[in-house]
Amino acid sequence: MNEIEKNVPAVVAKRLPRYYRYLSELLSSGVNRISSGELSSLMNVTASQIRQDFNYFGGFGQQGYGYNVEYLHKTIGEILGLDKGNSAIVIGVGNLGRAIANHDQFEKRGFKIAALFDIDENIVGKQINGKNVYHTDELEKYLESNKTDIAILTVPVETTQDVADRVIACGISGLLNFSDTEIKTEKGISVENVHFSDALMMLSYRLKYE
Amino acid sequence: MNEIEKNVPAVVAKRLPRYYRYLSELLSSGVNRISSGELSSLMNVTASQIRQDFNYFGGFGQQGYGYNVEYLHKTIGEILGLDKGNSAIVIGVGNLGRAIANHDQFEKRGFKIAALFDIDENIVGKQINGKNVYHTDELEKYLESNKTDIAILTVPVETTQDVADRVIACGISGLLNFSDTEIKTEKGISVENVHFSDALMMLSYRLKYE
């Protein structure tokens, strides 16, 4: 961990993916410099928060010149660990697993989806977006010989914990969980949840009160 | 808005979907009472936070008796507006749109997905999980005659803003956005985003530092 990374507080770190996404969009639109004021109105956060946050990354804007988009994009990507190239597998190849296997944004962000797993004999042995589908029974064998950082779980609620335990036993320490339940893990395992119905419930709440 | 609802602060409101999910799981496992201590170890939050939060909902636990799971589940559901039954449409019927159309948790949470929209002539006119697929050109006509609370967007990044503008012009004020971009809206429109790649970037960060 270098000096920049050590100094990023957790609350700032949580904002990094969103900054990274905006900086990626700016770069692909050919924007190389942006002022905190412009970024502020684009992202709908205060210019002062942007200035404070970017100071952590050594992204000091210059008066009348603005921020160097490419530098910030690269630096934030490094802090997020995107430059090291995470390898991932997807377990559960229903519609959601297929959507993920076909989701080009993942590879753009440095994640390589190397293999897919399912129990459905009709798709085992086939390929989706150039990735092999293996039987879930082969998980342990696959992980023994293929270094993998992240398991993406899109399996039914009832089997989520069991599948998580199996990949963790094989040494995987990062889980992206799409099931509508939570995974119990020991210390040292990182889990990020994407709960569709939580987002929908929050939307219902906001529709009622906003 | 009743007395209970008026008193729920925003920071507590954000925790409601997770409580609701856990209480749903408890109910379906036949658990009718639970102490703040038991719920604390289940949800991995402090018992004192649970007690504080539940006091807002009038969910006063009794010494040696615990909380009434059914009462809390019902009350939190009402605060979230789940009891009124939100109607939704899905725009974009790729793999992700199909996954959502087939996602039973949504209906369990009181969301009725009434129709699907896509531009692909191969699926327009068909049904998915009993829901009609209409051409996206028919959006305005459909919304004119079918009261709809929420539009779920799983369209490509390039068309997301345009589709959002169209449904908002038809009076929809709640958007659940799955595109890897953000939607600009006027005041009075609620947008919840589900950004897969943000979750994956955060996981990469946590794998690096935790």
Side-chain angles (χ1 to χ4, degrees), chain A residues 44 52 114:
Chain A
N44 204 19
Q52 272 186 320

Side-chain angles (χ1 to χ4, degrees), chain A residues 22-34 69-70:
Chain A
Y22 271 94
L23 293 164
S24 302
E25 281 190 17
L26 287 169
L27 267 189
S28 34
S29 319
V31 177
N32 294 314
R33 313 194 185 288
I34 191 163
V69 174
E70 195 177 347

Side-chain angles (χ1 to χ4, degrees), chain A residues 1 5 8 13-14 16-18 20-22 25 42 78-82 86 95-96 98-100 102-103 105-106 109 111 149-150 152 157 173-176 178 180-182 184 189-192 194-210, chain B residues 1 5 8 13-14 16-18 20-22 25 42 78-82 86 95-96 98-100 102-103 105-106 109 111 149-150 152 157 173-176 178 180-182 184 189-192 194-210:
Chain A
M1 203 185 303
E5 294 168 359
V8 179
K14 283 198 183 149
L16 294 180
R18 186 160 184 255
Y20 191 81
R21 189 154 37 76
Y22 271 94
E25 281 190 17
L42 193 65
E78 284 167 7
I79 298 172
L80 286 168
L82 307 184
N86 289 284
N95 287 308
L96 181 56
R98 282 167 201 269
I100 291 167
N102 284 301
H103 195 48
Q105 292 300 330
F106 283 176
R109 304 280 193 258
F111 298 92
D149 301 299
I150 290 169
I152 300 174
V157 165
S173 58
L175 301 173
L176 185 63
F178 283 88
D180 198 36
T181 188
E182 291 181 32
K184 287 181 208 325
I189 308 297
S190 302
V191 183
E192 284 283 322
V194 183
H195 289 309
F196 289 9
S197 70
D198 283 22
L200 205 46
M201 285 191 267
M202 208 59 226
L203 185 58
S204 169
Y205 176 84
R206 293 178 56 196
L207 277 175
K208 197 169 164 191
Y209 298 111
E210 278 183 1
Chain B
M1 204 185 299
E5 293 167 0
V8 178
K14 282 197 183 148
L16 294 181
R18 186 161 184 256
Y20 191 81
R21 188 155 36 77
Y22 270 95
E25 281 190 18
L42 192 67
E78 284 167 6
I79 298 172
L80 286 168
L82 307 184
N86 289 285
N95 287 308
L96 181 56
R98 282 167 201 270
I100 291 167
N102 284 300
H103 194 47
Q105 293 300 329
F106 283 176
R109 305 279 194 258
F111 297 93
D149 301 299
I150 291 170
I152 302 175
V157 165
S173 58
L175 301 173
L176 184 63
F178 283 88
D180 200 38
T181 188
E182 290 181 32
K184 287 182 208 326
I189 308 297
S190 303
V191 184
E192 284 284 321
V194 183
H195 289 310
F196 290 9
S197 71
D198 282 22
L200 204 46
M201 285 191 266
M202 208 59 226
L203 185 58
S204 169
Y205 176 84
R206 293 178 55 194
L207 277 174
K208 197 169 165 192
Y209 298 110
E210 276 184 1

Side-chain angles (χ1 to χ4, degrees), chain A residues 65-96:
Chain A
Y65 179 91
Y67 290 101
N68 181 324
V69 174
E70 195 177 347
Y71 170 82
L72 277 172
H73 183 262
K74 184 169 168 287
T75 305
I76 293 177
E78 284 167 7
I79 298 172
L80 286 168
L82 307 184
D83 56 319
K84 77 180 186 71
N86 289 284
S87 60
I89 56 171
V90 177
I91 310 169
V93 192
N95 287 308
L96 181 56

Side-chain angles (χ1 to χ4, degrees), chain B residues 54-72:
Chain B
F54 285 9
N55 278 350
Y56 287 111
F57 325 137
F60 305 106
Q62 282 175 259
Q63 197 70 40
Y65 179 91
Y67 290 101
N68 180 324
V69 175
E70 195 177 346
Y71 170 81
L72 277 172

